[in-house]
Amino acid sequence: MNSYMDYTSPTVQFTYDLSDNILFQKDAQNSINELSIQQLNTLANVSLLDIRLSTANVVEPHYHQNATELIYCISGAVTVSLLNPFTRELRHFPITPGQVANVPQGWWHYLVATVDNTHLLAIFNAPVPEFILGSDVLRLTPSNIMAHTYCLDEKKVQEALAPIKKPVIIGPPNDCKQQPPRKPGIHVRLNDTSSHRQIAPQRGYTYTHEYPGFSFNPYQEQD
């Protein structure tokens, strides 16, 4: 990419409306808009995603092969979970307005909104934020390779992954047919379970939302 910019050119751009470039929209409450050098040619090594999420929606597990990501919470609340490749620990970092979480380049991570009307700004030190999605890894890796490598039943692997027909980006998909457990309300614990200490307890990181028939905890370990 040409690093020289002729600031006298009539094509030089200094402003842009992010609403003109929707990267992904699940519905009216869950969407991602993108700004990169492809939209604003005066940008250098910086780009961003404008993210809006409602409760229990997830920016799916992924990693950025070309950039570090700084996530700033504008409104609402989100838990940023990342896998430290050096310690092999899965860490959870809840942030609220005015707080940030940093994801180093190449680290596997995902975001879970814990309240409605969550608004985030994800800033990257690259002209275009590139990413590898978990949904692409799962749907494009042959099921026989998955089964053979991890000693799994190939038919069960095929059955489990068959619904993933395209990138998910914000999950669960609108056509998800999984029935959630029948428990009253949605309960989200926002504490760093990897170190068993409460993060900024004075802010009261405990939320309960009345979503009948669904209980959600972003830290729940699966067997």
Side-chain angles (χ1 to χ4, degrees):
M1 188 174 296
N2 191 348
S3 61
Y4 174 75
M5 168 57 62
D6 180 4
Y7 290 100
T8 66
S9 169
T11 62
V12 71
Q13 301 167 312
F14 294 102
T15 64
Y16 187 79
D17 187 342
L18 266 71
S19 64
D20 291 335
N21 189 42
I22 300 174
L23 175 67
F24 180 80
Q25 183 164 13
K26 175 181 174 179
D27 52 39
Q29 290 75 44
N30 297 276
S31 63
I32 302 176
N33 293 350
E34 180 184 19
L35 177 68
S36 74
I37 201 169
Q38 296 173 348
Q39 291 79 45
L40 189 62
N41 60 16
T42 52
L43 289 177
N45 289 323
V46 64
S47 53
L48 61 84
L49 298 177
D50 185 58
I51 304 170
R52 296 180 185 270
L53 299 169
S54 58
T55 304
N57 275 267
V58 181
V59 176
E60 69 163 304
H62 64 285
Y63 68 89
H64 303 282
Q65 67 270 40
N66 70 327
T68 290
E69 177 180 7
L70 182 66
I71 302 163
Y72 175 75
C73 184
I74 298 171
S75 63
V78 69
T79 297
V80 179
S81 297
L82 55 85
L83 179 62
N84 186 322
F86 300 98
T87 65
R88 301 295 194 273
E89 289 181 296
L90 181 63
R91 301 292 304 275
H92 308 284
F93 301 99
I95 59 173
T96 54
Q99 297 181 329
V100 301
N102 193 50
V103 181
Q105 180 176 341
W107 284 31
W108 189 250
H109 64 287
Y110 55 92
L111 287 64
V112 182
T114 50
V115 298
D116 286 337
N117 301 311
T118 290
H119 186 191
L120 311 169
L121 197 63
I123 305 164
F124 302 87
N125 60 341
V128 179
E130 299 174 356
F131 49 85
I132 303 294
L133 300 173
S135 56
D136 283 342
V137 172
L138 292 173
R139 71 190 181 91
L140 299 177
T141 304
S143 58
N144 64 325
I145 293 297
M146 287 284 203
H148 176 69
T149 302
Y150 303 112
C151 193
L152 302 172
D153 186 307
E154 184 177 350
K155 289 184 178 180
K156 290 182 179 179
V157 172
Q158 290 176 334
E159 181 180 356
L161 301 182
I164 309 176
K165 303 293 186 183
K166 59 184 179 180
V168 172
I169 303 183
I170 297 178
N174 285 329
D175 60 354
C176 179
K177 294 181 174 57
Q178 293 292 330
Q179 295 298 317
R182 294 295 176 181
K183 295 182 181 180
I186 173 170
H187 307 284
V188 181
R189 291 189 299 109
L190 296 183
N191 61 303
D192 181 1
T193 56
S194 59
S195 61
H196 301 289
R197 63 184 178 86
Q198 187 75 17
I199 296 180
Q202 69 276 14
R203 290 180 177 262
Y205 287 109
T206 301
Y207 300 88
T208 299
H209 301 280
E210 294 306 322
Y211 285 78
F214 181 53
S215 178
F216 173 75
N217 180 351
Y219 306 105
Q220 182 176 356
E221 300 295 336
Q222 301 296 324
D223 295 330

